[in-house]
Amino acid sequence: MASSWSHTDDKAVIPAIRALNAAGIPMVHFNRPPAPNDAYSVAVVADNRKLMDATVTAVIDVARREGGRYKAAILLGDLGDANGVHRRDGFEDAVTRHRDIIEVVARVATEWNADKAFAGLINALRANPDINLLVTSSDFMTPQD
């Protein structure tokens, strides 16, 4: 038996890793390694900055073909989380190269919380009703009920 888990706190997961080690169960982390520690686990990690840059660049390429200027908003991840920081930086890398058609008018803090994201997005849209490009830092924000 093996365990896989995507945690959100890179220090809080360490006791779980130790418990799995003691039970002889391997641990694999997807896209979020634990903090350095003495327990054994394996992490498979993507380059979140490059992925966000490539994704946003592809969206901007479509926008450029459509024509016009775009007012963008981003739903930021938790900036206390490395993935959130890298995704924000990838977004900034992409929009910085395309300032001729993209103006970022809102950066919405979400802390990976859908309710906070929704409230922040509503405020951003009230302040900037002409937002016509929205980027989210996580797919979990997309299909909310």
Side-chain angles (χ1 to χ4, degrees), residues 14-25:
I14 295 169
I17 300 167
R18 287 189 181 121
L20 289 168
N21 287 172
I25 300 171

Side-chain angles (χ1 to χ4, degrees), residues 35-46:
N37 67 86
D38 60 351
Y40 179 76
S41 63
V42 175
V44 179
V45 182

Side-chain angles (χ1 to χ4, degrees), residues 6-144:
S6 181
H7 60 277
T8 57
D9 184 326
D10 64 349
K11 292 181 181 80
V13 72
I14 295 169
I17 300 167
R18 287 189 181 121
L20 289 168
N21 287 172
I25 300 171
M27 171 69 122
V28 179
H29 308 271
F30 292 101
N31 207 27
R32 195 176 300 275
N37 67 86
D38 60 351
Y40 179 76
S41 63
V42 175
V44 179
V45 182
D47 185 329
N48 283 283
R49 185 173 185 159
K50 275 187 183 177
L51 286 172
M52 184 63 113
D53 184 343
T55 300
V56 173
T57 297
V59 170
I60 293 170
D61 289 345
V62 171
R64 189 174 292 284
R65 285 192 300 273
E66 294 290 319
R69 292 192 43 81
Y70 290 82
K71 294 201 174 187
I74 180 171
L75 299 178
L76 298 165
D78 185 339
L79 297 181
D81 168 10
N83 287 350
V85 171
H86 294 307
R87 292 172 191 170
R88 180 213 47 209
D89 293 348
F91 170 82
E92 295 295 340
D93 292 344
V95 297
T96 296
R97 289 192 309 275
H98 299 279
R99 287 189 196 137
D100 60 317
I101 66 165
I102 303 292
E103 177 188 0
V104 181
V105 297
R107 291 171 176 83
V108 179
T110 71
E111 297 174 17
W112 301 134
N113 178 294
D115 292 332
K116 186 170 184 154
F118 183 70
L121 180 57
I122 293 297
N123 290 336
L125 289 168
R126 284 184 179 142
N128 303 281
D130 52 350
I131 288 173
N132 56 358
L133 178 66
L134 176 63
V135 174
T136 179
S137 294
S138 177
D139 59 353
F140 96 89
M141 302 291 236
T142 307
Q144 296 296 316

